Amino acid sequence: MPPAPSAAAGSCALSLGSRFLFGCRVTAAHRFAASPVQPPSPLHQQPHLQPCRQGRRWLRPELRGVYKPRLSPEAMKEFWRLSGIGPDHSRAKAADQQAEVPPEIKRLYQEALPPIVSQDYRDPIVESLHRAEMMRRRRVINIPEFHVGSILAVSVMDKHAPNKVNRFVGLCILRRHTGLFTTFTLRNMVDQVCVQIEYELYSPSIVSIQLLKLERRLDDNLLYLMDAPHSHCTIPFDMVPEPYSRNDPVPVNRERVRLNPPPWMCKWHLHGYQGIDLEHLYSYLSDKDVAKAIEFSKAYKRYDLLDQYLNRVPVPDADYAFKDIFIQHQELLQHQQQQQ
Amino acid sequence: SQLIVAMATAPHTWLRLVPSCRSYSKATRLHKIDYPWKDEPKPHWVRQFEARRVDADLTPENRDWLRQWRLQRVRDAVASSSEAAAAASPLKEPPAARPLWTPRVSQRCGLVGIKLGILPMWYRNGQKVHTTVVQIPDQRVLRWVPPEDLGNYASLREMRPYRLNQSLLPRWLTQQRWGLQLVGAVPADPANFTAQWCGIFKAAGLPPMRKISRFLVSPDAALQPGACLGLHHFRVGDCVDVVARTVNRGFQGVMERHLMEGGPAAHGSTKFHRKMGSAAGGGGPIYRGKRMPGVMGNRFRAARSLPVLRVNTKHRLLFIKGFTPGPPHSYCQIMDSWMLDVRRSLDANPPPMPTYFAEDAPEGGYPEDVYHPDLLPYDQPLELPD
């Protein structure tokens, strides 16, 4: 690294950088009045100019005459790959960044991810306590892997029920919060009445959670089924569980639901739902609303870095959580084998 | 020793723009007139932090070595005054005359805690309960100010203007039943602090700490400087009061701050939607304490009578039922509750006086987690009675 210029009286302005000249109107002559550095020469003779849009910008003396190679495209690509954000990172890819933890852990323990809130409200000890208590609860009850769009049968303790147990079968339309606060909502038709029940996943009053059909939909939540024909969420209470294999990828149900005519409970066209028949949906809307919906669904969001940064779990935190869970998962398997 | 490094994040009160919850009643907002400068942290006459002097004569390696040497001295001072050292040393005897719990008289010292977050738990009857996780850092007793000397005490000696105007002084100052117990928490590198601040701890032979708290303690429960306050000062089932600075919501208008009605949104309302309206009546002066916009939050408030439901000895955590004031990673004061029913129950089942010592430990020590009998651990199934 070249030595800094000598601390002469006139060059102090230059060596201290521009911060002491902030707000002052400075001309080139003033800056280079008594400095050892030569005054600027014509543009084509100066290799030490930084290219920038606003015009010329002088490089610091220690950077002049020094060749700094740009980052190679491979290095830049690696940087963006590790960052976890950017147009090349879809939500699914970010979760599967590291190959050290098997993918089945990420499918089973989706709620082990830390919450997406400001760093001020997150604490590593509290998060590790949540994970430890989650795994302790899983020694008592088997919580299967399920996604929004799967069909579940949940039995809860009910002192007023004949068998002291209340069983409800439904389609999972929503799954939210993290850690021990995780809840999921089941929807079904009971005597031609729509019923939605929200259960806390780690509540001890849940006796059993049985997976009847493992399936995934195109959306994170299926709240639009509230404005859809009831046939989409009518599930027989005596449904036979369908077998599934853990090793196979989760089947995706790509059906597109046709909503009922408006009025709707919510402006479904403004949330980017993929599981709604959009042509049919737009036929109910005015041209202005259709334009707004199309504007919303444009693909610019994959370039919105701040949106991705704020609405995703940082990759190192996700890795740490899954590794912690993986170790406890292996202990859980040993515990289950011992019990048998 | 790990605690010293881990607690480097000092919970200064910085601005947190959190929308307030309008659902709690106006009654909780009706406090007597108080002044923002009343909540000043004491000692305010001593500057705490000092920018570390950069010694240009030292190489970076020597600078790091000196820092490690300073931290090791702090760790040694903390370890030598800890309860483990007191238990292990064959020469030291337990305190000769431990005071007895005197009903309706005794008030013990409290603990300084750091609020971490919320953990939900369930009772054995299936009811859900939210618990606040509070970590108890390294803390030592700094000083005891007996009730007779309260008038001479530094922070009270210089009478502030509002004290002269007030006809009602606080009762702890006028009755002089209780003294002040100063407690220091979170030992840290002395180079971060001014010499004045380090001098406060020198008399007690302690390393400088980030936080000084004061507790109102009865003379029979007074602790001498250097005494160690530990996690088991509170038992599972004890009800505590938690005093902390509330979340700072910034400069807020009257609708948010004082739950005023504001004006109509429509129907011809001209520039009167979120205003205060009138400030006084009949052309009279605006009275002192008039509710107006200003900084909301960042005041000391107490959550009273919260039971301790669980104690974790590994991470030094107290699980306190309910919610306490303040954001995560803020300091809080935890003390035996002042509520009368709790005081009566403590008279029947006295806590360790004046604080927990190693001789109070049960045989075999404490397990990692101590649960309240009504609380259901997660690895046990729920069994509801028929």
Side-chain angles (χ1 to χ4, degrees):
Chain A
M1 185 138 155
S6 59
S11 70
C12 65
L14 194 66
S15 60
L16 291 169
S18 57
R19 65 174 185 273
F20 286 98
L21 304 174
F22 184 77
C24 312
R25 196 156 168 273
V26 169
T27 56
H30 170 83
R31 286 183 87 165
F32 295 97
S35 70
V37 179
Q38 294 300 316
S41 49
L43 196 61
H44 63 274
Q45 292 172 3
Q46 293 163 17
H48 51 263
L49 274 176
Q50 261 181 328
C52 64
R53 281 184 297 171
Q54 284 79 17
R56 281 180 276 172
R57 188 177 288 172
W58 304 112
L59 281 177
R60 290 193 313 230
E62 56 264 27
L63 295 174
R64 293 181 191 195
V66 174
Y67 173 64
K68 297 235 182 258
R70 286 166 176 267
L71 272 178
S72 64
E74 292 79 25
M76 277 302 291
K77 214 171 175 178
E78 186 65 17
F79 166 75
W80 281 110
R81 190 186 75 80
L82 290 171
S83 70
I85 58 172
D88 300 327
H89 283 275
S90 66
R91 196 174 271 274
K93 269 193 215 166
D96 298 329
Q97 191 101 55
Q98 299 296 324
E100 293 171 32
V101 173
E104 63 169 17
I105 299 294
K106 287 165 187 167
R107 280 163 54 166
L108 261 176
Y109 301 106
Q110 299 159 44
E111 63 271 10
L113 283 172
I116 300 168
V117 288
S118 162
Q119 291 292 323
D120 296 338
Y121 293 91
R122 285 188 46 201
D123 185 69
I125 296 176
V126 170
E127 283 165 20
S128 69
L129 282 173
H130 273 262
R131 289 193 291 269
E133 303 288 24
M134 276 159 54
M135 300 311 287
R136 276 195 205 143
R137 175 69 187 157
R138 282 172 184 257
R139 293 186 176 207
V140 177
I141 184 179
N142 176 44
I143 296 174
E145 173 205 349
F146 66 97
H147 303 262
V148 167
S150 309
I151 296 171
L152 297 169
V154 173
S155 304
V156 295
M157 287 186 198
D158 186 359
K159 59 185 177 182
H160 302 298
N163 291 338
K164 306 291 179 191
V165 162
N166 187 344
R167 184 170 181 268
F168 185 75
V169 171
L171 175 75
C172 178
I173 60 166
L174 188 59
R175 197 187 160 141
R176 46 183 191 165
H177 303 137
T178 59
L180 293 168
F181 294 108
T182 311
T183 58
F184 63 100
T185 310
L186 300 183
R187 181 182 169 86
N188 203 346
M189 292 287 293
V190 177
D191 293 342
Q192 292 154 13
V193 172
C194 307
V195 176
Q196 273 179 211
I197 305 182
E198 189 172 15
Y199 295 100
E200 287 166 316
L201 194 58
Y202 292 97
S203 168
S205 56
I206 291 181
V207 172
S208 74
I209 303 172
Q210 190 188 15
L211 182 68
L212 300 178
K213 187 175 185 186
L214 179 65
E215 206 173 56
R216 204 156 59 87
R217 294 284 191 112
L218 295 169
D219 301 311
D220 285 339
N221 64 71
L222 303 176
L223 292 167
Y224 53 81
L225 293 180
M226 292 195 282
D227 281 323
H230 296 156
S231 57
H232 286 106
C233 51
T234 307
I235 293 127
F237 267 67
D238 53 1
M239 182 174 170
V240 171
E242 290 179 16
Y244 67 95
S245 168
R246 272 203 198 153
N247 299 323
D248 294 341
V250 180
V252 182
N253 185 352
R254 294 184 184 273
E255 80 165 297
R256 290 183 168 255
V257 170
R258 285 197 163 191
L259 296 188
N260 292 334
W264 297 316
M265 281 189 204
C266 177
K267 295 178 185 175
W268 304 116
H269 54 285
L270 291 179
H271 294 269
Y273 283 112
Q274 299 297 310
I276 305 178
D277 189 345
L278 291 173
E279 276 185 41
H280 180 78
L281 182 74
Y282 294 161
S283 67
Y284 289 126
L285 300 173
S286 64
D287 292 338
K288 202 167 116 181
D289 289 334
V290 170
K292 210 171 167 185
I294 289 168
E295 177 69 30
F296 181 87
S297 66
K298 271 186 184 159
Y300 74 92
K301 276 216 162 180
R302 37 194 302 257
Y303 301 95
D304 189 352
L305 296 180
L306 201 62
D307 177 71
Q308 293 171 21
Y309 178 71
L310 290 174
N311 295 325
R312 284 184 200 178
V313 178
V315 171
D317 296 355
D319 289 345
Y320 183 82
F322 280 131
K323 280 173 189 164
D324 185 23
I325 279 278
F326 181 45
I327 294 163
Q328 295 185 57
H329 171 74
Q330 287 165 330
E331 285 168 14
L332 173 65
L333 291 176
Q334 282 175 8
H335 175 83
Q336 283 171 350
Q337 279 172 3
Q338 278 168 12
Q339 285 219 311
Q340 285 162 7
Chain B
S1 64
Q2 270 186 346
L3 270 173
I4 297 171
V5 177
M7 294 302 142
T9 52
H12 306 290
T13 43
W14 51 67
L15 197 69
R16 287 169 207 279
L17 292 175
V18 173
S20 72
C21 176
R22 290 173 65 92
S23 63
Y24 56 96
S25 66
K26 248 181 184 170
T28 60
R29 307 278 189 98
L30 293 173
H31 294 280
K32 61 179 187 210
I33 298 163
D34 52 3
Y35 311 86
W37 52 89
K38 197 175 86 164
D39 291 327
E40 236 176 12
K42 294 136 197 91
H44 52 76
W45 56 92
V46 176
R47 199 158 65 126
Q48 180 178 0
F49 291 107
E50 185 180 50
R52 230 182 278 170
R53 270 177 295 163
V54 178
D55 203 337
D57 294 333
L58 287 175
T59 60
E61 293 84 13
N62 286 343
R63 223 176 287 148
D64 289 336
W65 187 91
L66 275 174
R67 181 161 185 269
Q68 292 305 319
W69 176 79
R70 283 197 302 271
L71 289 177
Q72 191 55 45
R73 273 168 64 100
V74 170
R75 282 190 205 108
D76 292 342
V78 165
S80 63
S81 60
S82 71
E83 53 193 58
S89 166
L91 299 173
K92 280 204 178 152
E93 289 169 6
R98 281 180 73 173
L100 289 172
W101 178 269
T102 315
R104 303 185 65 177
V105 167
S106 297
Q107 177 66 35
R108 296 193 303 163
C109 188
L111 292 182
V112 174
I114 297 173
K115 173 179 171 175
L116 294 187
I118 312 283
L119 197 91
M121 298 208 75
W122 273 266
Y123 285 127
R124 290 192 185 273
N125 63 1
Q127 199 184 353
K128 190 175 181 185
V129 59
H130 289 104
T131 54
T132 305
V133 181
V134 177
Q135 188 172 47
I136 307 298
D138 272 331
Q139 51 201 267
R140 303 281 184 272
V141 172
L142 263 187
R143 200 187 301 175
W144 163 248
V145 179
E148 311 78 65
D149 295 346
L150 280 178
N152 288 336
Y153 189 55
S155 78
L156 304 168
R157 213 179 322 148
E158 43 161 88
M159 267 300 159
R160 310 216 109 203
Y162 57 84
R163 289 254 183 265
L164 298 171
N165 286 341
Q166 272 180 334
S167 53
L168 282 177
L169 288 173
R171 286 186 194 179
W172 58 270
L173 194 53
T174 52
Q175 290 177 359
Q176 298 193 345
R177 287 199 302 157
W178 290 343
L180 286 178
Q181 188 88 76
L182 294 192
V183 170
V186 192
D189 189 352
N192 295 333
F193 307 111
T194 56
Q196 258 186 313
W197 183 266
C198 295
I200 296 171
F201 300 84
K202 220 172 178 181
L206 294 169
M209 308 201 193
R210 299 191 83 110
K211 174 73 178 167
I212 297 179
S213 279
R214 56 160 75 156
F215 294 95
L216 291 168
V217 176
S218 58
D220 62 334
L223 289 162
Q224 296 310 310
C228 183
L229 290 166
L231 178 68
H232 301 289
H233 183 80
F234 296 113
R235 307 162 297 180
V236 162
D238 285 350
C239 286
V240 296
D241 291 346
V242 181
V243 180
R245 290 197 98 105
T246 51
V247 168
N248 188 342
R249 304 185 194 275
F251 197 100
Q252 293 294 341
V254 289
M255 281 182 79
E256 187 86 355
R257 196 178 184 216
H258 300 298
L259 291 172
M260 290 189 188
E261 296 296 319
H267 295 301
S269 168
T270 319
K271 301 198 294 185
F272 185 71
H273 308 293
R274 298 187 67 86
K275 283 185 179 175
M276 192 171 73
S278 168
I286 300 173
Y287 54 87
R288 182 174 217 144
K290 174 79 190 72
R291 289 163 177 258
M292 285 187 179
V295 172
M296 182 180 171
N298 199 30
R299 311 294 288 273
F300 281 116
R301 292 290 180 256
R304 302 279 181 195
S305 192
L306 305 175
V308 174
L309 292 179
R310 179 177 158 189
V311 172
N312 181 298
T313 40
K314 183 181 168 195
H315 296 290
R316 294 171 67 115
L317 303 174
L318 289 180
F319 290 68
I320 300 170
K321 179 194 171 190
F323 305 99
T324 60
H329 308 121
S330 63
Y331 290 119
C332 55
Q333 288 186 0
I334 307 161
M335 56 200 185
D336 290 331
S337 186
W338 287 358
M339 304 298 268
L340 285 173
D341 57 346
V342 176
R343 290 220 200 146
R344 284 183 203 123
S345 67
L346 279 179
D347 294 341
N349 181 17
M353 270 284 280
T355 185
Y356 169 83
F357 291 105
E359 59 183 8
D360 300 329
E363 307 229 342
Y366 283 103
E368 189 186 322
D369 272 304
V370 184
Y371 289 87
H372 193 276
D374 289 343
L375 209 64
L376 180 77
Y378 275 93
D379 48 8
Q380 287 178 22
L382 181 65
E383 279 144 26
L384 288 178
D386 296 327

